[in-house]
Amino acid sequence: MIVGILLLPLLLELAPYWKRVINIMCVYALLALSFDFLANYVGLVCLGGAFFVGVGGYLSAIFNVYLGLPVYLSIPFAAMGGAIFCTALLLPCLPLRGVYFAIVTLMYPLFFTRVVEALNILGGTNGITGLDSLPNEYVEHYVIIIMTLIILFGMRRFVNQDIGLVLRGVKDNDQSVRASGINITHMKALAVFIASFVGCFGGAYIAHLYMWAGISLFALDFSIIPIASVVIGGGGTLVGAVIGTFILVPLSEILRAFGSFRIVIYCAALTGFIVFKSEGLMVYLQRKYHQFERWVKV
């Protein structure tokens, strides 16, 4: 999978449209990783993927256009600053769980969209234009591809460390973790910071990819598609979130040829996965793999 992803920009040299789809696909993969990490390892169902993308995109635009920072500084600064900002806003909501936390995180992108429109700040409905682009198309492709792979394997390593086991304990039985003398609010805040950093990085990258930051960065697509990708790929595996994105995003682009009828096909495919393979592809394949008897030479 790693070799295939790294070779995609070279294999699609004559298809610039699909090369751009690869970039967007990797951004959605980051958001899917963020959602899978919070939902299946910490127990926080976060519908705020659009919130992370919007904050990261706008901060990167501010750093680049208003403060004059180069693109290689504005993106990491926006990711870090956006993670701090998002964590601070979500901090009062951390005691909430389940649908209550999900509703609050869904309200944040809608709230900021209306604030930008009503107060006509940050360019209003026109957005902030004139952002610097990445140096060349190869940097444009491989920055997001390499970061996706680094974050994927970094998260897999993180959740298998002791601190990852504590986060799983917060998900399964937070009272037992609290009884052990561990501050579960600090643990949840750390998890939200990591997830928002990943999402804000994707938003900052998109802003420089399009050389524009506007209220469309708060679109609900950035919240819904990552969830669907996790459902298809398999929750709680992290790799499944990436694989689900690599299936779902190209599929949605291919179905554009069907016009409005593509929504019917799209919904039918999602319904089929949810009804017949609700565990997801990766969980199903892992279960089948472990069912095989392994012969060991004695």
Side-chain angles (χ1 to χ4, degrees), residues 231-249:
V231 170
I232 291 175
T237 62
L238 295 178
V239 176
V242 177
I243 292 177
T245 305
F246 289 176
I247 295 173
L248 194 60
V249 175

Side-chain angles (χ1 to χ4, degrees), residues 44-288:
L44 297 175
V45 179
C46 179
L47 301 181
F51 175 51
F52 301 151
V53 172
V55 170
Y58 269 108
L59 280 180
S60 189
I62 291 171
F63 288 142
N64 182 242
V65 176
Y66 295 159
L67 301 182
L69 294 181
V71 62
Y72 58 84
L73 289 180
S74 63
I75 291 179
F77 283 5
M80 184 61 67
I84 295 172
F85 179 76
C86 294
T87 304
L89 288 183
L90 291 174
L91 196 60
C93 312
L94 293 183
L96 303 175
R97 298 196 66 170
V99 67
Y100 302 104
F101 184 82
I103 291 173
V104 171
T105 55
L106 182 62
M107 291 300 104
Y108 272 121
L110 303 177
F111 170 76
F112 277 96
T113 299
R114 297 296 175 260
V115 168
V116 172
E117 288 179 347
L119 301 181
N120 197 30
I121 58 176
L122 301 175
T125 55
N126 294 324
I128 303 175
T129 58
L131 277 74
D132 293 337
S133 62
L134 293 163
N136 57 66
E137 63 174 347
Y138 291 104
V139 174
E140 184 179 278
H141 296 312
Y142 284 105
V143 161
I144 192 65
I145 289 174
I146 292 174
M147 279 302 299
T148 300
L149 293 175
I150 290 174
I151 290 172
L152 168 61
F153 290 103
M155 277 189 168
R156 282 172 59 85
R157 181 68 179 269
F158 179 79
V159 298
N160 290 316
Q161 299 296 315
D162 291 344
I163 190 170
L165 298 178
V166 173
L167 290 176
R168 296 188 193 187
V170 171
K171 172 181 177 289
D172 296 332
N173 193 335
D174 57 353
Q175 297 302 320
S176 297
V177 177
R178 181 183 283 112
S180 301
I182 299 174
N183 191 320
I184 62 173
T185 302
H186 289 172
M187 300 305 298
K188 288 183 178 180
L190 173 63
V192 170
F193 177 84
I194 294 172
S196 56
F197 176 85
V198 174
C200 288
F201 180 88
Y205 173 82
I206 281 186
H208 286 281
L209 183 67
Y210 291 131
M211 294 181 286
W212 174 83
I215 57 177
S216 63
L217 292 176
F218 289 110
L220 289 181
D221 287 353
F222 293 116
S223 296
I224 304 302
I225 292 181
I227 299 174
S229 301
V230 172
V231 170
I232 291 175
T237 62
L238 295 178
V239 176
V242 177
I243 292 177
T245 305
F246 289 176
I247 295 173
L248 194 60
V249 175
L251 176 64
S252 63
E253 293 297 327
I254 293 172
L255 293 178
R256 287 186 185 275
F258 293 91
S260 58
F261 186 71
R262 72 188 179 93
I263 304 299
V264 178
I265 304 175
Y266 190 71
C267 294
L270 285 178
T271 303
F273 268 103
I274 293 172
V275 172
F276 299 106
K277 282 291 176 285
S278 59
E279 59 187 347
L281 290 176
M282 277 302 296
V283 178
Y284 172 77
L285 293 175
Q286 286 178 352
R287 181 164 52 82
K288 288 298 181 181

Side-chain angles (χ1 to χ4, degrees), residues 10-26:
L10 302 177
L11 297 176
L12 298 174
E13 193 67 39
L14 300 178
Y17 175 80
W18 285 102
K19 289 174 72 174
R20 181 59 60 91
V21 171
I22 294 172
N23 300 338
I24 303 301
M25 185 173 65
C26 289

